[in-house]
């Protein structure tokens, strides 16, 4: 174990810092209007990609940096410490990109990976359905094979950035017999196809970062099948584990910037000489820091080429806890007059729901880590 | 940056496990250890000390000592060597107005002053037994003057001390979790094992999250101390605070899984809880570190403003 | 001493439920209420006010208003009558440096001073909209001078205000619990209703304990105020603090049961949560009352010593 | 609802206060040695009984006071507010006495009730067994009917004050066929019978308030059967509900005296000017007070003659929570040097186990109050 940066890592840190010093997006407020925000965020990811800071550990032949995974952590830390915006093509980077790398053929990887990294093409995921939330395997969207294509029909929900996406990874039922989860395939759907209808869903924060997706006899060419028919479940499980494992790294850095903000806001409001406020913030700090330490330890193995294990569920639980505690404390200290903390608090409650509920994560730990008897 | 244990570190943990199984009692009977058995454990640990050990290695060791309810003046002896005070003896740390552990069986006391420790021979000190919740960590009041003066970084001494104490707690908590898990997998009520009820499955899963993350933060903080990262001492404080609450949460969960039997003297659960509490009290409890961390946050925010 | 509601009190609750079902919108669409619909609700409530009502009766009413997400200046109007300031109008309480609810639709403001309230006609005041999380409880900044002065016991005014706000929160929380319970009993995942999983059964049971005990403490504190028990004001503070945390806990639990849909604008869960938060902020939140209660404990202990 | 005391209730308060003013046991420390403590506590209960303060609402014909139940609350409040010791025959008063009143015949009630009230005869309960804790219906202790008696064999655990008890209410299996819970009967066992072996169990606090009870071919006369053969389960359920419902009343008063003690101890240690300590104690106060308010509301119905409903489970959960929070806070503030708070903290963890675990109480609420689908 060694936390001190190597000379090479230090050089990389310097490189990121000088890049950041010249980036106008850093520290500036993002536009509130969604379209404008999206434009800024795409430009930002593109600039970072050009500088070599996106997909740094992805294979060089598909546009990645081909460097050791730990370098991406170094980069992410520096970006976040400077308060840089997030990478907007998050679903491509955390979910579909890794699936394409692992399960796609070379043609698919060449076609899709570079524009995921550059944010030229935004990706979304069509996994959940209104009746198939936690119980993903019971999904009803159907894809029927005909000649050289599939005909796809059904509806999806929680499609993040669906209104901006060029491509969607859709889980659909292709086989009707056999066990439920073996009849699912993963299709790459062109969001410009006829029969695709995207409807933004307004969240309780007033934003619309998610959409409903309606698919009505959408034609999907056969070459857009990822891996083989019936492999969809396997891909989804790999992908969701990956998301839980890797999403924690940028997320914890984001939580650290939120914590800084809470401390600054409390200071500005003259609340910081109150020992109770101090302790609340210290407890939030502890939650955020321990999340980082735990994520580092559990992704260590994964970064070195191992599979994402069930411990990604412990990271996920800890992440929801840290986020909810921080948001609730800041909201209590700063009150509902503060729009940022109000929104952050309200939405923080979803952290124990999205990406697999708290209950699902605990089941995974009980089964796969503790090997407890099944219910 | 490398986030995994080295092979050497993993092997060291395995070797120490073997050592403890050979030279020490099972946790169930550890509270019956005689002075001879304690002395024998120390001799075995001395050999282990021959290598140059970092905070990561020492914490690996302390965790195992906690899991085995070992009774040994390891924390003080290891902490002193770690901060560079050379000795080959059993040492206990004597902080102002704080009970001193294992005082009756150490060779020297390290009396902590401002920027110094004075190594005082045990024979030159007056010791009085004090109450301790844990028979494996007896406490004493120690009065000692004079001694051989060493300049040290006291904050680094209390940081390593806090991490070793935390690592012992993690070991004890992990053992409680694993005992509770086994009990839940076996004990039947209403025609099912109780571990098949979702309420207990989830309780145990939460205990796992606590104990696993507690161990993560100990390892990170230890590596930060070894690597002399600028925030290493703050990280040690964060770790000590988190582990104190986490270990108790695991312990409380385990008591709930065991049910009534855990509240009888003969059941071993309370012995681990007692170890956890005694370690929690050393080098600052959670409330202490939370206050100090909060104060520091306020000070640095005000300086920035 | 009689710990149960009287038959009259039970009947009053039933009558008000009927009134709300007739004169107000279902909770699902309450946020679409027009000024006319709000005015109609108030007229209906005025009749209800004809009787002499104690704090217990007023809290029974406030709980139902919360459960129905009613938008009405009930809290201020009821509190003023309760402390003996006679009026037949819609009144909002204007505390120093505090947003005033429903300012655009009341007849008078009760401007709270030291030992007095001044009743100022709405026409003589300046009002500015302020942000509110809850469309059913619009907030304003109010500037009002002069008015008809009444001597009052301000602590009693804020105590009844706190209890009415708490009672509304309890009504909203109970409704969230009942909606979440119904959803859990219907929604199927993995071939079972989710309410048959022990994890959700226990979550809902804990939410029940919170909401039931929150209602118990409101009723007790209201009766203590009616009976002028010596610790009635302290009890009101205890109640306000407890209900604030309890209602949020119930709300958080309900969001967890509903899952993703609860985070969409169209789902009604967040409207109840918003009502709970706005009521929590009035007359002191949990942190405020916990501090004050703690300070009072310290003062009285030091006096005894 | 009316909280103000009536004139009659005020007179009763005065009566209790003048009694207390002359009682040497009030405020004095109890002896540490168990035997001596038992002697003092028995004398105390006897004195209170003579004064009319025990079983005040129990039927007059069996030695009770025959007064409205609310008067017992008034009395208990006054006793506890003065720091008076508890009533030692708690199992008789809360568990077996109510069962005898409801299910016993007149002869049994006349024989046993008066000496329960006066503490002349201490009672214990033989319900739990090592293999039948939460799952009481699977108990294995057997009673076989022979001539004019039963022959009783088996072992029991968690028998509080078994070493001092004259009588034990034992649940035993009398029928081997039919559903498990219908084959159980309740026997009144003379603890002086041949074949009764009592072994005190040392708790983690070092005390031995519980015993194991071994029954080896113990002869129990048939007249010691409570109600009919097979009624044991019904009696036990009534009894345990009763215990949950009524035990909260004295218990919450005890918690209030503990809270006072914590505040005093914190003051003595100079910790009370710390705002964090103040808030911790305030939160403990809130827990204790809300428990009282909730217990009052939920026992109101019961006191007026209704059955103890499933809301006794919500009282039980709240009670464990209040006790554990108070004990943990006091222990944190006052530290392990304080023997009282150390013991109180350690034992407080059992509050979510004894008298039906937390998990059992939540099941009861989910089933009987929320009517959720069965598992």
């Amino acid at each position: 174990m060694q936390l001190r940066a190597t000379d090479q890592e230090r050089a990389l840190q310097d490189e990121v810092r000088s890049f950041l010093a010249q980036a106008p997006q850093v520290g500036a407020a993002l536009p509130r209007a969604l379209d404008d925000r999206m434009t800024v965020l795409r430009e930002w990811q593109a600039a970072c990609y050009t500088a070599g800071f996106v997909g740094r550990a992805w294979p060089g032949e598909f546009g990645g940096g081909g460097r050791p995974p730990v370098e991406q952590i170094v980069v992410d830390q520096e970006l976040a410490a400077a308060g840089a915006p997030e990478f907007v093509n998050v679903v491509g980077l955390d979910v579909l990109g890794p699936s394409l790398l692992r399960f796609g053929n070379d043609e698919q990887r060449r076609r899709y990976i570079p524009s995921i990294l550059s944010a030229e093409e935004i990706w979304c995921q069509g996994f959940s359905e209104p009746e198939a939330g936690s119980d993903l395997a019971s999904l009803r969207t159907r894809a029927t094979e005909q000649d050289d294509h599939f005909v796809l029909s059904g509806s999806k929900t929680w499609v993040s950035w669906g209104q901006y996406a060029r491509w969607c990874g859709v889980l659909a039922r292709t086989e009707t017999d056999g066990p439920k989860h073996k009849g699912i395939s993963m299709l790459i759907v062109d969001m410009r196809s006829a029969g695709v209808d995207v409807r933004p869903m307004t969240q309780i924060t007033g934003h619309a970062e998610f959409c409903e997706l309606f698919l009505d006899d959408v034609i999907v060419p056969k070459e857009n099948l990822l891996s083989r028919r019936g492999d969809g479940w396997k891909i989804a499980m790999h992908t969701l584990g990956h998301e839980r494992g890797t999403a924690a790294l940028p997320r914890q850095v984001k939580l650290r910037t939120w914590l800084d903000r809470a401390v600054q806001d409390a200071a500005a409001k003259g609340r910081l000489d109150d020992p109770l406020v101090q302790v609340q913030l210290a407890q939030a700090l502890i939650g955020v820091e321990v999340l980082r330490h735990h994520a580092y330890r559990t992704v260590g193995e994964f970064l070195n080429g191992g599979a994402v294990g069930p411990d990604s569920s412990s990271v996920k639980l800890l992440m929801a806890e840290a986020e909810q505690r921080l948001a609730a404390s800041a909201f209590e200290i700063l009150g509902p007059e503060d729009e940022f903390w109000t929104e952050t608090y309200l939405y923080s409650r979803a952290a124990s729901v999205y990406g697999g509920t708290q209950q699902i994560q605990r089941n995974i730990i009980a089964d796969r880590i503790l090997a407890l008897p099944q219910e | 940056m490398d986030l995994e244990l080295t092979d050497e570190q993993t092997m060291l943990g395995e070797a120490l496990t073997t050592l403890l199984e050979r030279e020490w009692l099972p946790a169930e009977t550890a509270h019956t250890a005689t002075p001879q058995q304690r002395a024998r454990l120390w001799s075995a640990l001395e050999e282990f000390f021959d290598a140059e050990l970092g905070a990561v290695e020492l914490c690996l060791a302390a965790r195992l000592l906690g899991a085995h309810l070992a009774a040994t003046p390891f924390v003080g002896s290891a902490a002193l060597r770690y901060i560079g005070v050379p000795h080959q003896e059993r040492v206990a740390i004597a902080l102002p107005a704080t009970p001193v552990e294992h005082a009756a069986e150490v060779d020297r006391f390290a009396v902590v002053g401002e920027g110094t420790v004075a190594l005082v021979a045990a024979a030159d000190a007056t010791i009085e037994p004090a109450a301790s919740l844990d028979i494996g960590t007896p406490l004493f009041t120690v009065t000692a003057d004079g001694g051989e003066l060493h300049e040290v970084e006291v904050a680094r001494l209390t940081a390593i001390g806090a991490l070793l104490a935390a690592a012992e707690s993690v070991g004890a908590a992990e053992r409680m979790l694993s005992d509770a898990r086994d009990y839940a997998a076996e004990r039947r009520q209403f025609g099912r094992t109780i571990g098949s009820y979702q309420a207990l499955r989830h309780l145990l899963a939460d205990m796992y999250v606590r104990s696993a993350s507690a161990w993560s933060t100990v390892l990170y903080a230890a590596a930060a101390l070894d690597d002399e990262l600028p925030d290493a001492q703050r990280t040690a404080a964060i770790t000590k605070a988190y582990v104190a609450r986490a270990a108790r949460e695991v312990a409380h969960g385990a008591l709930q899984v065991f049910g009534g039997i855990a509240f009888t003297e003969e059941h071993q659960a309370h012995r681990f809880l007692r170890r956890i509490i005694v370690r929690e009290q050393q080098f600052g409890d959670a409330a202490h570190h939370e206050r100090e961390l909060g104060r520091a946050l306020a000070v640095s925010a005000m300086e920035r403003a």
Side-chain angles (χ1 to χ4, degrees), chain A, chain B:
Chain A
M1 247 187 116
Q2 190 188 303
L3 301 176
R4 213 185 298 113
T6 60
D7 289 347
Q8 214 163 17
E9 286 161 8
R10 236 190 309 268
L12 177 58
Q13 286 170 341
D14 291 341
E15 193 186 326
V16 181
R17 281 180 207 156
S18 24
F19 168 80
L20 286 167
Q22 295 164 16
Q25 295 92 339
V26 174
L30 288 171
R32 297 233 1 126
L34 219 49
D35 288 354
D36 300 341
R37 181 149 38 124
M38 183 51 72
T39 307
V40 171
L41 288 173
R42 289 175 85 141
E43 283 167 5
W44 171 246
Q45 186 178 327
C48 288
Y49 176 55
T50 308
F53 302 150
V54 184
R56 194 169 177 89
W58 291 26
E61 53 188 313
F62 306 118
R67 303 286 310 158
V70 75
E71 290 193 5
Q72 187 70 56
I73 297 186
V74 171
V75 169
D76 287 347
Q77 295 276 14
E78 292 301 322
L79 293 175
E86 69 218 77
F87 294 148
V88 71
N89 206 1
V90 54
V91 177
L93 293 170
D94 284 351
V95 183
L96 276 316
S99 295
L100 283 160
L101 285 178
R102 176 113 154 77
F103 298 99
N105 56 41
D106 274 3
E107 203 178 324
Q108 291 169 334
R109 290 188 277 202
R110 264 193 298 273
R111 164 66 190 84
Y112 299 115
I113 297 290
S115 58
I116 285 177
L117 293 170
S118 66
E120 206 178 309
E121 294 180 335
I122 301 293
W123 280 67
C124 62
Q125 68 187 69
F127 289 11
S128 294
E129 298 181 6
E131 296 301 316
S134 294
D135 183 10
L136 192 56
S138 70
L139 59 85
R140 295 177 189 177
T141 292
R142 289 290 310 276
T144 316
E145 193 166 343
Q146 281 177 15
D147 313 322
D148 61 345
H149 60 266
F150 292 91
V151 179
L152 181 66
S153 285
S155 60
K156 294 288 180 181
T157 189
W158 307 118
V159 181
S160 30
W161 298 125
Q163 68 272 59
Y164 297 103
R166 177 72 170 81
W167 299 102
C168 185
V170 171
L171 287 177
R173 185 163 305 288
T174 45
E175 330 299 316
T176 46
D177 44 2
K180 280 197 301 188
H181 65 277
K182 295 214 163 153
I184 295 171
S185 300
M186 168 80 89
L187 297 174
I188 301 168
V189 176
D190 186 340
M191 294 291 280
R192 295 178 189 168
S193 314
V196 170
D197 182 16
V198 176
R199 296 184 207 156
M201 301 157 78
T202 308
Q203 293 152 249
I204 61 175
T205 53
H207 302 299
E209 290 167 3
F210 295 100
C211 297
E212 291 174 288
L213 174 62
F214 298 92
L215 303 158
D216 184 13
D217 284 345
V218 177
I219 304 297
V220 181
K222 265 193 200 162
E223 61 262 32
N224 286 16
L225 175 67
L226 189 58
S227 189
R228 283 186 304 271
R229 264 177 67 159
D231 277 357
W233 181 254
K234 191 174 72 181
I235 299 171
M237 288 305 102
H238 172 267
T239 287
L240 293 172
H242 198 285
E243 186 188 10
R244 279 199 300 270
T246 56
L249 292 173
R251 192 80 192 156
Q252 57 86 6
V253 195
K254 174 150 220 163
L255 292 183
R256 287 166 77 192
T257 64
W258 284 1
L259 180 76
D260 283 345
R261 180 170 183 159
V263 173
Q264 295 306 323
D265 290 352
K269 259 200 142 185
R271 300 295 314 276
L272 259 195
D273 44 5
D274 179 339
L276 287 150
V277 169
Q278 290 174 3
V279 163
Q280 259 186 312
L281 291 170
Q283 288 172 338
L285 165 72
I286 291 167
V288 173
E289 283 294 291
V290 171
L291 168 64
R292 177 162 71 99
H293 305 157
H294 189 53
Y296 275 178
R297 181 164 75 92
T298 55
V299 302
E301 203 182 328
F302 159 73
L303 287 176
N304 290 326
V308 175
D311 243 321
S312 62
S313 292
S314 68
V315 176
K316 182 82 173 66
L317 286 166
L318 217 52
M319 187 158 67
E321 183 183 60
E323 178 169 339
Q324 291 177 344
R325 181 190 290 125
L326 168 57
S329 295
F331 183 58
E332 180 172 310
I333 295 164
L334 299 158
E337 309 89 72
D338 186 301
E339 201 178 351
F340 174 80
W341 286 113
T342 300
E343 271 184 22
T344 303
Y345 157 69
L346 287 175
Y347 199 65
S348 75
R349 300 312 313 178
S352 44
V353 168
Y354 59 65
T357 64
Q358 209 168 47
Q359 284 71 29
I360 297 280
Q361 309 303 340
R362 289 179 181 140
N363 282 342
I364 292 173
I365 293 171
D367 285 339
R368 294 179 51 200
I369 298 181
L370 299 175
L372 280 165
Q374 300 277 328
E375 236 184 294
Chain B
M1 194 168 166
D2 183 353
L3 300 172
E4 289 192 274
L5 292 181
T6 62
D7 290 347
E8 290 73 23
Q9 286 165 339
T10 306
M11 278 160 54
L12 180 124
E14 286 163 8
L16 191 60
T17 301
T18 312
L19 182 154
L20 280 163
E21 280 163 6
R22 207 179 49 220
E23 309 290 346
W24 183 242
L25 297 81
E28 292 77 358
T29 53
H31 61 287
T32 65
T34 61
Q36 290 72 28
Q37 287 167 321
R38 291 171 179 230
R40 181 175 155 170
L41 172 62
W42 177 257
S43 310
L45 286 173
E46 265 190 324
E47 284 176 44
F48 162 85
F49 265 136
D50 282 349
E52 268 288 297
L53 299 177
V56 170
E57 288 81 5
L58 293 173
C59 284
L60 280 163
R63 175 202 199 193
L64 290 168
L65 296 175
H68 287 79
L69 290 179
T72 162
F74 175 81
V75 169
S77 310
L80 263 287
R81 287 184 208 217
Y82 182 72
I83 62 156
V85 178
H87 65 88
Q88 295 296 323
E89 297 163 313
R90 290 167 299 180
V91 181
I93 299 171
L95 285 159
T98 306
V100 178
E101 66 172 279
H102 291 286
E105 47 195 308
V106 296
D107 307 303
R108 299 228 203 184
F109 294 106
V111 182
V112 180
E114 294 205 8
T116 59
V117 296
L119 285 186
V120 182
D124 298 338
T126 317
I127 70 171
E128 292 264 5
S132 172
L133 277 181
D134 172 23
I135 199 169
T137 321
L139 299 177
F140 301 81
T141 308
V142 172
T143 322
D145 293 314
E148 180 192 315
L149 219 58
H150 295 260
E151 286 196 10
V152 300
E153 203 185 330
V154 170
R156 197 166 161 80
L157 174 63
T158 53
I160 182 69
L163 293 184
L164 295 172
E168 269 214 13
S169 290
V170 172
E174 286 173 336
R175 177 65 194 268
M176 287 188 92
L177 167 59
S178 119
D179 287 353
R181 183 253 157 237
D182 292 348
Y183 182 76
E186 249 174 42
R187 165 87 171 171
R188 297 179 72 84
Q189 292 277 276
F190 304 103
R192 297 164 52 174
T193 55
I194 61 172
S196 72
Y197 285 101
Q198 203 180 31
L200 283 206
R201 285 164 55 85
H202 285 194
L203 173 61
L204 287 157
D206 283 342
M207 290 158 63
Y208 172 78
V209 173
R210 266 312 154 248
S211 79
S213 55
W215 180 233
S216 297
T217 189
V218 169
L219 272 187
Y220 184 95
L225 208 58
D226 283 342
D227 287 355
E228 296 179 336
L229 295 197
D231 61 350
Q233 275 150 26
R234 188 177 90 138
T235 305
I238 286 171
T239 294
K240 186 65 168 60
Y242 184 75
V243 170
R245 298 213 189 274
R248 277 241 238 149
E249 193 178 317
V250 173
H252 292 170
L255 296 179
Q256 190 68 29
V257 172
F258 290 125
I261 55 159
F263 297 92
T264 59
E265 162 67 25
E266 65 176 338
H267 194 274
Q268 68 179 336
H270 72 102
R271 301 188 204 288
F272 289 103
L273 172 57
R274 287 164 187 274
R275 174 66 53 100
I276 286 168
I277 293 171
V278 168
R279 289 307 182 203
E280 168 188 311
Q281 298 288 320
Q282 296 176 323
F283 305 102
D285 65 0
H288 167 81
H289 287 295
E290 286 165 1
R291 271 161 218 248
E292 293 300 316
L293 287 164
R295 208 168 290 157
L297 278 178
V299 168
S300 77
M302 286 166 187
E303 276 166 6
R304 261 184 289 172

